[in-house]
Structure formats: structure tokens, C-alpha cells
Amino acid sequence: MSLTLHFHPLASFCWKPLIALYENATAFNPVIVDLGDEHSRAAFLKISPSGKMPALRDDARGRTVLESTIVVEYLAAHYPGPVELVPADIDLALAVRQADRFYDFYVQEPMQKIVGDRLRPQDKTDPFGVEQARGQLRNSYAIVEQEMQSKTWAVGDAFSLADCAASPALFYANKVEPFGDKYPAVKRYHDRLLQRPAFARVIEEAQPYFKFFPYNDG
């Protein structure tokens, strides 16, 4: 097969292209990257010099594609399937891309700030930055709550790139800043995402690695 995805099963930004691949049953070779292993790290840096995951290699087209959103865009363009990840309609496609950016910048990013702070040495933590991140997450929840009152998926009537982005963002955000009872539409949307077979498969494959996730402060 021509496609190889270099990723880590626990990494939230790697989940986005994994969901996209599974949604369309796109054949690919999975390569798990262990940046803590000298040989794995060295091999991956040849593919992605920044060391950032995921990275998609397409031998058939001689292309290496970096960044989770761009990987999904690439798949939609060159390996389309029954699930139209990026709509053909220009205005709808722009809305999908805007939602993708929202979930990356305003849900993923503050979530990762909180997670990253939990991994720091005790004397190097950033309580102020963490509280700012929590505030950003609550603000994002409020936006999603309003938007998802009468919608099934993030944009339009069908599952798309936007939902691929929302899935890991909301899953991990709920671990560090739980939705609680204040955001019922967010929770319903999150639950619908969990019921997608592609997302359920990603979570199942990540299970052996969840023990490394810092669920609690400290």
C-alpha cells in the first residue's frame, strides 16, 4: 500500500487523520513513533524535521504531508471515499475549515496547555496560564453549546473534517475541564462522536497508552 501514517496512538492531533482514514476505510500502513526511543526518533526526524506528528507518506505520489488538517485535506483530495471530509461546495468547505481551526486553536490548544502543565516539575508550573486555559475552554464550550443546539454535526448535515477535529479536542478537553451539566448540547455532540465506529476504533487502539495521560493535577 502506498500510504504510511507516522503517529502516536495517544497524541490528540494524530487522532484527526486516523479518524479520517477509518471513516473511509482507506488502506494505510501505521507506524507508531516513539520519540523517547533513539532509533524511532531519528527515523521520524528524517520524515518530519520538526519532530511534530502526524506525518503521512504517500509513496505512490512521492509526497510527505505534515500537519493533521493538511493530511485530512490531502486524503480528501487524492483518496476520497464515501464520507466527504471536505465538501465540494466552496462556502460549506470554508465553514468546515473554520470549524476545524476553532477546535484546534480554542479547544485543543488550551487543553494541551493544561495537560502540559501537569507534566512540568512542581516548581515550574504555571497556575495563571492554566486558569486562563480553563477560561478559554469554558468560553469555547459556550460557543459550541449555542451552535450545537439543533445540529447533528459541526457543519452542515454530514460528518466532515470539522468533526474529525472536534472528536479528539472535546474528548481530551472533557478530561481536564469536564462539561458537567452546564453544556448539555456539547455533551450530546460529544456522545454522538463517540458512537462513530471510526472514533471508537481510535479510542480502543489508544487504550494501552491512556495510563500515560496525566488525568489529575500532579
Side-chain angles (χ1 to χ4, degrees):
M1 60 189 70
S2 81
L3 295 177
T4 300
L5 184 71
H6 301 263
F7 72 106
H8 191 280
L10 194 61
S12 58
F13 277 112
C14 292
W15 285 15
K16 190 193 300 187
L18 275 173
I19 293 167
L21 287 160
Y22 291 154
E23 281 286 340
N24 281 323
T26 305
F28 73 101
N29 179 41
V31 174
I32 294 177
V33 178
D34 180 1
L35 294 176
D37 177 85
E38 180 182 347
H39 298 292
S40 179
R41 181 182 181 86
F44 183 62
L45 288 176
K46 292 178 181 177
I47 298 164
S48 174
S50 69
K52 298 293 185 182
M53 291 179 269
L56 181 75
R57 176 64 189 173
D58 184 352
D59 289 332
R61 304 187 74 251
R63 293 289 303 275
T64 298
V65 187
L66 307 176
E67 299 294 333
S68 61
T69 295
I70 308 304
V71 170
V72 178
E73 291 260 12
Y74 183 86
L75 292 170
H78 298 290
Y79 295 88
V83 177
E84 192 177 41
L85 297 167
V86 180
D89 180 86
I90 295 298
D91 290 332
L92 204 54
L94 288 172
V96 163
R97 292 181 175 108
Q98 180 172 295
D100 170 78
R101 297 294 76 210
F102 170 84
Y103 280 105
D104 277 8
F105 290 140
Y106 304 116
V107 182
Q108 283 261 33
E109 193 169 299
M111 174 276 291
Q112 292 197 335
K113 166 65 180 175
I114 297 168
V115 171
D117 197 74
R118 292 178 178 181
L119 297 172
R120 288 182 172 189
Q122 199 65 35
D123 61 341
K124 301 292 185 182
T125 58
D126 178 17
F128 179 74
V130 166
E131 194 49 48
Q132 281 187 314
R134 290 190 182 281
Q136 176 67 76
L137 281 178
R138 290 190 293 267
N139 184 64
S140 296
Y141 292 167
I143 293 170
V144 177
E145 179 69 21
Q146 194 68 30
E147 290 188 347
M148 297 306 297
Q149 290 289 333
S150 58
K151 294 197 299 184
T152 301
W153 305 116
V155 176
D157 299 323
F159 188 94
S160 70
L161 162 64
D163 303 289
C164 292
S167 298
L170 292 175
F171 179 88
Y172 278 115
N174 189 43
K175 303 300 183 191
V176 298
E177 182 66 24
F179 306 141
D181 298 325
K182 192 175 180 181
Y183 308 103
V186 178
K187 186 179 185 304
R188 289 194 300 271
Y189 175 45
H190 175 256
D191 290 346
R192 281 194 298 277
L193 293 169
L194 290 173
Q195 290 167 11
R196 297 287 292 196
F199 189 28
R201 180 177 175 180
V202 170
I203 293 172
E204 182 180 359
E205 291 174 348
Q207 287 288 350
Y209 301 90
F210 281 144
K211 62 188 176 184
F212 300 114
F213 183 80
Y215 286 96
N216 302 306
D217 291 322

